[in-house]
Amino acid sequence: MLKALSDYGRLMRVGTALVRHDVILPGEYQTRLPLPARVAGRFLRIFGGGAKGRPGERFAAALEKLGPAYIKLGQLLATRPDVFGTEVASDLSRLKDKLPPFPVKQARQILDKEFGEEVAQTLFPELGEPVAAASLAQVHKMETPDGTRAVKILRPGVEQMIARELRAMKRAARTIERASAESRRLEPVAFTNTVADAMMKELDLRLEAGGADQIKSISDKHDWFVIPAVDWDRTSQRVLTTDWVDGIPLTDPKALDQPGLDRAELATAITRGFLNQAIGHGVFHADMHEGNILITPDNRIALVDFGLIGRIGMEERRFLAEILWGFIRRDYQRIAEVHFEAGYVPADQSVGEFAQALRSVGEPIHGKSAEDVYMGRILLQLLDYTRTFGMHLRPELVLLQKTMVQVEGVARAIDPKHDIWKAAEPIVKTWIAENFGPAGAAKLAVKNIREVADRLKRLPEVMDRFEASLEQDARQKAEPKRTGPPWWAWFGLVIVLAAIAGVTVAQFA
């Protein structure tokens, strides 16, 4: 009961912030609303304080004030233009996550608690002032005998604060899904669980260390990105230490002014590096905004901050590859079939009609120059058809979709003429050839043979269980059925036991 009251109190705080920023029933949408909603909107704007900017900008400002849990929620809501519209989604994608740093003294206390005071003094002898501070953690620069390190430390008490906010979010999502049949198509509970899972993983820096190490192993094979190595001796649940990467973040306009820098080559490397991770390995850096991308002195791309790692299975990788390849070849029928095969479109819909809708998305891009064709825009148009064809949100694709839009935005910022389709083609073509050509067929055959062999090994055990189940069913049918007491008898028993317990407590009080 107390938790529920606490949750609703937090949701009231959220509602107040949204009202103050004129996010609920905003004035810009008055003409589209029924009369009761218009009246309610005018009433709410009395408390709005004259909020300025577009609805999406005001929404982003409100989420920034509400703190880290809502900032992360907003970043993922930016992938839902089918709910909020493309303009609001675009504004939410620019959410900033910056806070003043906490003192070095507190940082040292956390290090002492994580590693023990004596060990911490040895491992972290000279902890410098914080060089970057966000809502969840901050980063310090440190010199060691083995080289310069970046030390990331979680904010004090952030785990408890995030847990409380996420619990309130989940309660709100459950309430919305129960109250609105239309909302169930958008899967608010599944979406909120995706946000919560991603955030809770960000609060265990050992998981981030594992993700960084895996991305580095992929990058070492393909050489698209510079990834800092993890210093495992100086890493724990609340502390992550990696090699220091010299570079200028893309948020700095000077980053692209370095001598000898080839913008077109850099943009292509970002696109191909991301697709190689996602399609080729099923794991990718899922927060590739300009602040997490550095340009090194030798004009290479370095990635930092691995708190958000996306993972997709073979089916999702196949889906992504075939969608991209279908658009590249203008094979809309195949794109439609892939959606149905993956179960993303209900079986009672028409494949032909869905292919027709896809054609209306794909054909306008052909024959246009690269700078006029945006993959992100195509993704947004595809999402516009979710309502028409009864498509459900797939939570496992949320991070992938968000990152694809991010990557294209970054690549276009580096090189406005970047052709994302041309950049993607060799990665997609190679993966399809390896997995669906002769080599892929051979791999699949070997995998199927191995699975059949494993099942045959378990066959005697399965048969034993089946026979035991049949014998148990026969015994149960032979025995006379026993009827238990009616439900009200159990209810009465509970009341009696409660009364006995109350009397007992009163005697000893």
Side-chain angles (χ1 to χ4, degrees), residues 44 88 186 256-257 334 439:
L44 291 175
V88 173
L186 303 172
L256 298 173
D257 293 337
R334 181 56 192 152

Side-chain angles (χ1 to χ4, degrees), residues 440-455:
K443 281 185 195 174
L444 185 61
V446 171
K447 180 182 177 183
N448 289 339
I449 290 170
R450 189 180 295 119
E451 287 180 356
V452 169
D454 289 341
R455 290 181 181 183

Side-chain angles (χ1 to χ4, degrees), residues 27-288:
E28 289 86 348
Y29 300 154
Q30 283 292 288
T31 57
R32 309 180 204 174
L33 299 174
L35 180 61
R38 290 202 298 272
V39 172
R42 289 194 188 100
F43 175 75
L44 291 175
R45 273 187 293 285
I46 297 172
F47 308 96
K52 303 295 182 185
R54 296 190 300 271
E57 291 174 331
R58 300 197 300 268
F59 193 11
L63 294 174
E64 285 174 5
K65 285 187 177 296
L66 287 168
Y70 292 91
I71 290 172
K72 295 295 180 185
L73 174 65
Q75 289 172 344
L76 287 176
L77 289 177
T79 68
R80 300 309 312 276
D82 55 323
V83 180
F84 299 99
T86 55
E87 184 181 89
V88 173
S90 177
D91 289 333
L92 288 175
S93 69
R94 300 187 187 99
L95 273 165
K96 295 176 178 63
D97 186 13
K98 289 186 178 181
L99 285 180
F102 56 89
V104 175
K105 183 178 179 181
Q106 278 188 295
R108 290 229 63 106
Q109 290 172 349
I110 293 171
L111 293 175
D112 290 345
K113 187 175 181 180
E114 287 292 299
F115 297 92
E117 191 171 344
E118 290 185 12
V119 175
Q121 289 294 334
T122 303
L123 293 177
F124 304 90
E126 299 286 339
L127 192 69
E129 292 294 324
V131 296
S135 52
L136 298 184
Q138 67 186 32
V139 178
H140 300 255
K141 189 175 182 179
M142 182 181 72
E143 299 295 336
T144 74
D146 302 320
T148 309
R149 297 288 189 268
V151 184
K152 181 176 182 178
I153 304 174
L154 287 183
R155 284 186 174 274
V158 71
E159 297 97 331
Q160 293 80 5
M161 183 266 289
I162 291 293
R164 289 193 295 267
E165 298 292 359
L166 289 176
R167 192 182 67 215
M169 278 187 205
K170 289 180 178 180
R171 188 178 296 277
R174 290 195 300 270
T175 303
I176 290 168
E177 196 162 294
R178 282 197 298 265
S180 169
E182 170 62 18
S183 74
R184 290 167 203 154
R185 183 185 65 83
L186 303 172
E187 308 279 5
V189 171
F191 181 82
T192 306
N193 287 338
T194 298
V195 176
D197 290 345
M199 288 205 66
M200 294 310 295
K201 287 172 184 174
E202 282 196 72
L203 294 174
D204 188 340
L205 296 185
R206 295 169 300 186
L207 295 177
E208 181 173 342
D213 194 64
Q214 186 173 8
I215 295 293
K216 179 172 173 55
S217 68
I218 294 170
S219 186
D220 288 346
K221 293 176 186 175
H222 303 284
D223 204 31
W224 293 112
F225 302 126
V226 175
I227 308 293
V230 175
D231 185 337
W232 291 103
D233 292 336
R234 293 181 172 90
T235 293
S236 70
Q237 184 173 348
R238 306 195 78 242
V239 180
L240 168 62
T241 305
T242 66
D243 287 347
W244 180 266
V245 178
D246 281 319
I248 305 174
L250 280 178
T251 49
D252 188 335
K254 297 177 182 177
L256 298 173
D257 293 337
Q258 297 181 170
L261 185 142
D262 186 330
R263 287 180 173 239
E265 187 177 312
L266 215 60
T268 298
I270 285 179
T271 298
R272 289 182 179 172
F274 162 70
L275 289 174
N276 175 260
Q277 289 177 7
I279 297 178
H281 299 273
V283 56
F284 56 95
H285 190 304
D287 202 13
M288 288 180 64

Side-chain angles (χ1 to χ4, degrees), residues 153-436:
I153 304 174
L154 287 183
R155 284 186 174 274
V158 71
E159 297 97 331
Q160 293 80 5
M161 183 266 289
I162 291 293
R164 289 193 295 267
E165 298 292 359
L166 289 176
R167 192 182 67 215
M169 278 187 205
K170 289 180 178 180
R171 188 178 296 277
R174 290 195 300 270
T175 303
I176 290 168
E177 196 162 294
R178 282 197 298 265
S180 169
E182 170 62 18
S183 74
R184 290 167 203 154
R185 183 185 65 83
L186 303 172
E187 308 279 5
V189 171
F191 181 82
T192 306
N193 287 338
T194 298
V195 176
D197 290 345
M199 288 205 66
M200 294 310 295
K201 287 172 184 174
E202 282 196 72
L203 294 174
D204 188 340
L205 296 185
R206 295 169 300 186
L207 295 177
E208 181 173 342
D213 194 64
Q214 186 173 8
I215 295 293
K216 179 172 173 55
S217 68
I218 294 170
S219 186
D220 288 346
K221 293 176 186 175
H222 303 284
D223 204 31
W224 293 112
F225 302 126
V226 175
I227 308 293
V230 175
D231 185 337
W232 291 103
D233 292 336
R234 293 181 172 90
T235 293
S236 70
Q237 184 173 348
R238 306 195 78 242
V239 180
L240 168 62
T241 305
T242 66
D243 287 347
W244 180 266
V245 178
D246 281 319
I248 305 174
L250 280 178
T251 49
D252 188 335
K254 297 177 182 177
L256 298 173
D257 293 337
Q258 297 181 170
L261 185 142
D262 186 330
R263 287 180 173 239
E265 187 177 312
L266 215 60
T268 298
I270 285 179
T271 298
R272 289 182 179 172
F274 162 70
L275 289 174
N276 175 260
Q277 289 177 7
I279 297 178
H281 299 273
V283 56
F284 56 95
H285 190 304
D287 202 13
M288 288 180 64
H289 60 72
E290 288 90 339
N292 289 338
I293 301 175
L294 311 180
I295 306 300
T296 66
D298 58 347
N299 291 330
R300 297 190 63 204
I301 301 163
L303 301 182
V304 295
D305 192 353
F306 300 88
L308 209 53
I309 297 294
R311 298 181 187 279
I312 53 175
M314 181 58 76
E315 286 303 311
E316 290 74 33
R317 290 157 69 186
R318 170 180 169 269
F319 174 75
L320 173 60
E322 291 219 57
I323 291 295
L324 295 178
W325 191 238
F327 274 114
I328 289 170
R329 294 187 302 157
R330 301 164 75 175
D331 187 351
Y332 306 112
Q333 182 69 20
R334 181 56 192 152
I335 300 173
E337 290 169 356
V338 168
H339 275 80
F340 278 81
E341 289 168 7
Y344 294 171
V345 181
D348 61 354
Q349 297 290 332
S350 165
V351 177
E353 288 181 1
F354 189 59
Q356 179 182 333
L358 294 172
R359 182 176 293 275
S360 73
V361 173
E363 281 306 298
I365 72 174
H366 289 286
K368 288 190 176 181
S369 58
E371 56 264 35
D372 294 328
V373 179
Y374 285 80
M375 184 183 288
R377 192 172 297 160
I378 288 174
L379 284 173
L380 301 186
Q381 290 180 61
L382 283 173
L383 284 171
D384 283 341
Y385 283 119
T386 59
R387 183 187 300 272
T388 305
F389 290 93
M391 295 165 63
H392 280 241
L393 167 70
R394 298 302 294 244
E396 70 273 17
L397 295 177
V398 168
L399 286 179
L400 177 66
Q401 175 194 326
K402 162 189 172 289
T403 311
M404 285 188 73
V405 174
Q406 271 185 336
V407 166
E408 183 177 29
V410 170
R412 291 296 180 96
I414 295 172
D415 176 20
K417 295 185 177 181
H418 176 63
D419 186 342
I420 193 167
W421 300 101
K422 186 176 179 181
E425 184 171 352
I427 300 294
V428 177
K429 185 177 182 179
T430 300
W431 191 84
I432 286 178
E434 289 177 352
N435 288 274
F436 297 104

